[in-house]
Amino acid sequence: MNIETVAVIGAGVMGSGIAAQIANAGKKVLLLDVVPEGASNRNILAESAIEKLLKVKPAALMHKRNAKKILAGNLDDNLTDLAEADWIIEVIIERLDLKQALYKKIEAVRKPNCIVSSNTSTLPLADLTAGRSAEFSSHFVITHFFNPPRYMRLLEIVEGPTTNPDALETLCKFCDYELGKGLVKCNDTPGFIANRIGAYWMQTAMLEAFRLGLSVEEADAISGRPMGIPKTGVFGLMDLVGIDIMPHVLKSMIHSLPQTDAFHQQAKIPELVTKMIDDGYTGRKGKGGFYRINKVDGTKVKESINLATGEYASSQKPALASLQGSVTKDLRKLLSFDDKGGQFAWSVLAKTLIYSASLVPEIGDDINAIDRAMKLGYNWTYGPFELIDKIGVDWFTDKLRADDYDVPPLLMAAAGKAFYRYDNQQRQCLSLNGEYQTISREEGVLLLSDIKQNQTPIKRNASASLWDIGDGVLCLEFHSKMNAIDPDILQMVAAAIKTIPGQYKGLVLYNEADNYSVGANVGLALFAANVAAWPQIEAMVKSGQDTYLALKHAPFPVVGAPSGMALGGGCESLLHCDAVQAHSESYIGLVEVGVGLIPAWGGCKELLTRWTNNPRRAKGPMPAISKAFELISTATVSTSATEAKDYLFLSANDGITMNRERLLFDAKNKVLALAKDYTPLEPIELALPGATARTALNLAVDSFVKSGKATAYDGIIADQLAIVLSGGETDMAELHNEQDILALERAAFIHLLKQEPTLDRLQHMLESGKPLRN
């Protein structure tokens, strides 16, 4: 059985988000909800939800056309349409009576073998299926998505005692390959895994910050990156998800968990938080939260609330001694540090890790699955048991005993060991019987992190490494700061070009950081410009051009495999590949104009070539030039890999992988397919119109400058871009080869780098520490 048509019942934020992700997978979706009393439009709830999907930020749809795959309806008029569905997902209010009544209606119309699931996180599966037939129950599971469904990779699945294994396998395969989800099978317990531990951690961190008198900035600085948790920390995260959500979560947990559960001790809401909710300070969706943006004398100022007084004041960088030097890079040092920051870190982590260990095997008997749930659902760098290993099992338990904590049996059983180890090149985790079991990967999952544990790189420098990923394919990994392209990465590309011929079949450009590459290391260019090292700058630009050109015409196939941001020089590396296998969440673009520059490593040349060769473009040279000019001058960045094809940052034949963990495997297979009878790309030549095209482009920009939509300096940048794309001093009778266009790129780049506004923009970007986005 294949899943081709899905019905989602419940058109709220979560239901519509799930429908959007299924539409992103290219499947037909029926979105149903009730008919509001007195409504003239009986489909108003579902139709309004689809309209919101087209506007919501961040976008739920990977392309606006995907909305057409979602059909709006209602439960009165379209109930029989459920007979078309291969999978029906219930996403209605958490009331058992309403869910049971809905399932009775679904059972009357669903086709045999149709899978039915609930998105509940609080109601037991046995209660949900009470009164239903054995056949219905055997095709019923809980599928707990995280919000927003497009971006949150975790999907918790709870099966029943009679769940049909074939139906479960079909569902899991669909959610893995088509929806890109990381699946974690859970026991049927309140909150399952991620929210049970995550809500406990959030509550504990919040209450300890109040108790110890920390500021929200101090608490977030400690509970964030030093613990391998996103930099939002606890208060920033609560602002993000909505402060008003927590009382509802606590109410549900308190109702469902026995009084003996440690969660009850943390299920308290401080008076200040209650007042904030009552006053509309519910986080980013409200007037503000623990943080807010306030206007002072016309200037936006970030403020934070004082947990003791409830007053807002300008946010201050934390100055705790425990946040200085190497302390935050060594968990043991941080947990032992004798100030309120260290006390906070120890109290929060001790309680959270004790609670996590005490929940095994109640919530699940696989510690790797528990760690995976926290990493996928809460974006933790390490799961709770990986954190214990990082601290040291024995060190942690000794400190627990010294501070009169009860040590859970699982921690006592792990004495003298670690929860994870590598044996015979395989990662293993400790099982409940005290033995190690091998962690197996699903077929089609290939992770560079696994490969790196079992071999040394073929070549390595400070910014890049070359790895053998099997079957004659090498992988070039970037690992500079933010994966910015620098001379060391270019050197490694050149090394790969020399190493592969005669020994290997091809190359994949790939890494497992959050972002493939944020662009070139412009800090080097800024430094060189400030000391007027223009010959060195020209040599650096020429080196990048030559390296990427050699990559493009290498005698072996090269496949780019991006995920996250691929901007500027990162985008240019992809434009020079034979093919790209992109993760669906790839944000690709040439953004150099944002700092007053233009793409100079062949980005202008390659994008212009793609639009010139586009079979759907209008006749003549100007349509291609105008489109490339538009995309580069506006620093357009795709919001997905699918959208990147619209801009020709990706070609029509480039592949898209929904599941991040399958990306390297798919890219490797693309290399192997291309390697059969591979022929290197031929050099290109373009006929460009010269001054007439430059004039036409500048006229369009001048109108934006005059209307105030662009600055005068934007006009100067655009003119340099126009020179490159039009071919400079030429006409249509003259053909431009790749080196001709690269020379124009190089000259324009250096000209702009000599301008004071460009240097100011570069300095500002470096000081902000943020990558360029449009």
Side-chain angles (χ1 to χ4, degrees):
M1 172 184 166
N2 292 322
I3 295 176
E4 297 296 333
T5 301
V6 180
V8 178
I9 302 176
V13 172
M14 180 61 84
S16 62
I18 293 171
Q21 184 64 358
I22 295 167
N24 289 335
K27 305 303 179 181
K28 176 182 174 182
V29 189
L30 181 62
L31 181 61
L32 305 182
D33 211 314
V34 297
V35 179
E37 187 176 348
S40 57
N41 179 356
R42 296 173 65 80
N43 297 337
I44 185 64
L45 293 182
E47 288 181 3
S48 297
I50 296 170
E51 289 176 9
K52 289 178 182 176
L53 289 176
L54 291 165
K55 301 174 183 176
V56 68
K57 299 293 182 183
L61 295 164
M62 292 181 180
H63 198 290
K64 288 188 176 182
R65 65 170 174 259
N66 292 347
K68 295 178 181 178
K69 299 181 184 297
I70 308 174
L71 306 178
N74 67 77
L75 283 168
D76 291 345
D77 303 329
N78 303 100
L79 185 67
T80 56
D81 293 345
L82 295 178
E84 301 176 29
D86 303 305
W87 177 21
I88 300 170
I89 312 171
E90 168 270 303
V91 199
I92 68 171
I93 191 171
E94 290 286 81
R95 272 183 52 185
L96 181 61
D97 58 332
L98 295 180
K99 291 179 186 287
Q100 289 178 332
L102 177 60
Y103 300 154
K104 184 177 181 180
K105 292 179 180 179
I106 291 173
E107 184 167 19
V109 297
R110 64 179 277 273
K111 66 184 179 183
N113 297 320
C114 170
I115 300 165
V116 181
S117 73
S118 173
N119 190 59
T120 185
S121 62
T122 60
L123 300 173
L125 186 146
D127 292 350
L128 293 171
T129 56
R132 304 276 57 80
S133 69
E135 199 277 338
F136 181 96
S137 298
S138 69
H139 286 77
F140 185 92
V141 295
I142 292 172
T143 50
H144 183 224
F145 289 81
F146 278 65
N147 195 36
R150 171 180 166 181
Y151 300 97
M152 297 304 295
R153 292 172 55 202
L154 177 61
L155 178 64
E156 294 177 317
I157 294 184
V158 178
E159 60 184 292
T162 64
T163 299
N164 183 299
D166 292 336
L168 183 63
E169 182 181 358
T170 296
L171 179 65
C172 289
K173 187 175 180 180
F174 179 82
C175 294
D176 175 348
Y177 284 85
E178 304 290 344
L179 302 186
K181 295 301 173 186
L183 309 181
V184 173
K185 293 181 180 178
C186 311
N187 291 340
D188 193 6
T189 57
F192 307 129
I193 295 175
N195 281 342
R196 181 80 170 271
I197 295 173
Y200 181 91
W201 163 75
M202 289 174 69
Q203 276 296 115
T204 300
M206 179 182 69
L207 295 176
E208 288 301 297
F210 273 89
R211 182 180 70 85
L212 291 167
L214 270 71
S215 69
V216 295
E217 296 95 336
E218 290 169 339
D220 283 349
I222 293 287
S223 65
R225 286 176 172 167
M227 297 184 186
I229 290 167
K231 65 179 182 179
T232 53
V234 61
F235 291 108
L237 178 60
M238 292 180 75
D239 276 359
L240 181 64
V241 301
I243 300 169
D244 55 330
I245 298 296
M246 284 308 294
H248 298 288
V249 173
L250 297 185
K251 183 179 179 181
S252 172
M253 289 292 191
I254 292 168
H255 174 75
S256 306
L257 295 172
Q259 285 295 325
T260 54
D261 193 283
F263 200 103
H264 285 271
Q265 299 170 21
Q266 307 303 114
K268 306 164 189 172
I269 300 292
E271 290 183 12
L272 174 61
V273 176
T274 300
K275 185 178 186 303
M276 289 172 66
I277 295 171
D278 291 342
D279 292 344
Y281 286 88
T282 54
R284 296 188 187 182
K285 66 183 179 182
K287 300 176 183 178
F290 294 105
Y291 297 95
R292 73 177 184 184
I293 301 297
N294 194 21
K295 276 196 173 182
V296 179
D297 297 329
T299 303
K300 290 183 178 180
V301 176
K302 184 179 181 180
E303 297 181 338
S304 54
I305 199 166
N306 186 305
L307 298 179
T309 67
E311 299 295 325
Y312 283 94
S314 178
S315 294
Q316 302 295 319
K317 185 177 179 180
L320 291 171
S322 51
L323 286 169
Q324 308 306 314
S326 63
V327 178
T328 56
K329 297 179 182 178
D330 184 330
L331 261 182
R332 286 191 188 181
K333 283 185 180 179
L334 177 60
L335 299 177
S336 304
F337 205 88
D338 190 20
D339 73 351
K340 62 182 180 180
Q343 294 165 25
F344 173 76
W346 169 244
S347 184
V348 172
L349 262 194
K351 290 182 171 70
T352 301
L353 298 181
I354 288 172
Y355 189 61
S356 300
S358 71
L359 294 176
V360 180
E362 178 193 344
I363 60 174
D365 58 7
D366 181 352
I367 64 166
N368 183 59
I370 293 170
D371 279 346
R372 181 171 162 81
M374 296 312 300
K375 291 189 287 186
L376 293 176
Y378 277 74
N379 288 325
W380 288 12
T381 304
Y382 312 101
F385 298 100
E386 290 172 327
L387 271 172
I388 294 172
D389 273 1
K390 193 171 177 64
I391 298 166
V393 173
D394 291 342
W395 187 93
F396 182 58
T397 53
D398 286 346
K399 186 163 174 57
L400 289 177
R401 290 190 181 99
D403 289 355
D404 295 325
Y405 284 101
D406 292 331
V407 179
L410 182 62
L411 278 175
M412 290 191 283
K417 302 177 182 178
F419 282 105
Y420 293 91
R421 73 174 188 183
Y422 276 88
D423 185 60
N424 293 324
Q425 298 188 344
Q426 291 184 314
R427 193 178 191 221
Q428 299 180 328
C429 66
L430 198 63
S431 64
L432 298 187
N433 63 12
E435 301 295 324
Y436 284 95
Q437 59 187 19
T438 298
I439 299 170
S440 59
R441 301 292 187 194
E442 294 288 334
E443 182 181 356
V445 171
L446 179 63
L447 299 179
L448 191 58
S449 56
D450 288 345
I451 293 169
K452 289 162 69 172
Q453 291 292 336
N454 299 321
Q455 62 174 259
T456 55
I458 292 173
K459 294 182 182 295
R460 177 184 174 86
N461 60 34
S463 299
S465 297
L466 203 57
W467 300 93
D468 185 341
I469 59 174
D471 299 314
V473 180
L474 296 188
C475 173
L476 199 158
E477 175 199 20
F478 307 157
H479 45 71
S480 59
K481 183 178 181 181
M482 301 178 78
N483 288 336
I485 311 294
D486 62 13
D488 278 347
I489 288 178
L490 296 177
Q491 183 186 62
M492 192 59 64
V493 173
I497 293 170
K498 290 180 181 178
T499 301
I500 292 174
Q503 299 185 64
Y504 299 94
K505 296 177 182 177
L507 177 68
V508 176
L509 305 182
Y510 167 90
N511 60 72
E512 289 172 357
D514 290 340
N515 295 304
Y516 171 79
S517 173
V518 299
N521 186 339
V522 294
L524 296 175
L526 178 62
F527 174 79
N530 283 332
V531 296
W534 301 113
Q536 289 84 348
I537 292 172
E538 180 156 7
M540 185 165 54
V541 177
K542 183 74 162 56
S543 172
Q545 292 179 339
D546 291 346
T547 302
Y548 279 1
L549 196 60
L551 189 71
K552 177 181 177 181
H553 298 295
F556 54 82
V558 180
V559 172
S563 180
M565 289 186 282
L567 307 177
C571 174
E572 287 176 298
S573 73
L574 300 177
L575 291 173
H576 287 81
C577 292
D578 293 281
V580 173
Q581 185 70 34
H583 181 222
S584 55
E585 298 300 343
S586 293
Y587 319 120
I588 307 173
L590 297 168
V591 297
E592 287 85 349
V593 296
V595 289
L597 297 169
I598 66 158
W601 282 347
C604 298
K605 165 180 66 73
E606 290 302 314
L607 194 61
L608 177 59
T609 301
R610 290 186 177 205
W611 279 100
T612 299
N613 294 335
N614 180 20
R616 293 179 295 175
R617 73 172 176 87
K619 299 298 181 182
M622 280 308 296
I625 292 172
S626 297
K627 193 61 184 180
F629 183 82
E630 174 194 335
L631 293 172
I632 298 172
S633 65
T634 58
T636 298
V637 176
S638 70
T639 60
S640 68
T642 302
E643 192 177 80
K645 291 192 173 191
D646 289 355
Y647 306 136
L648 300 190
F649 295 139
L650 298 182
S651 72
N653 295 324
D654 286 336
I656 296 175
T657 298
M658 292 293 280
N659 192 320
R660 179 72 171 81
E661 294 180 339
R662 298 186 177 279
L663 180 59
L664 182 57
F665 181 86
D666 291 348
K668 174 184 168 182
N669 281 345
K670 190 175 282 287
V671 168
L672 293 173
L674 290 171
K676 298 174 183 177
D677 303 319
Y678 178 74
T679 302
L681 293 172
E682 293 292 330
I684 58 106
E685 289 185 325
L686 295 176
L688 299 172
T692 55
R694 177 185 178 185
T695 300
L697 295 174
N698 282 333
L699 282 173
V701 174
D702 286 345
S703 66
F704 282 100
V705 174
K706 289 176 181 176
S707 64
K709 295 179 181 178
T711 67
Y713 192 66
D714 290 333
I716 292 172
I717 301 166
D719 180 53
Q720 290 298 308
L721 178 60
I723 292 173
V724 174
L725 296 176
S726 65
E729 298 297 328
T730 187
D731 56 44
M732 292 295 292
E734 182 181 353
L735 289 177
H736 284 66
N737 62 32
E738 291 179 283
Q739 289 291 357
D740 294 333
I741 304 173
L742 288 173
L744 292 171
E745 286 186 11
R746 197 161 63 246
F749 181 92
I750 293 172
H751 174 81
L752 290 170
L753 190 57
K754 291 180 177 179
Q755 311 306 310
E756 198 66 35
T758 291
L759 297 176
D760 290 342
R761 292 185 185 189
L762 285 168
Q763 187 66 45
H764 177 75
M765 189 197 78
L766 291 172
E767 289 173 355
S768 73
K770 297 179 180 178
L772 279 175
R773 290 297 298 269
N774 66 332

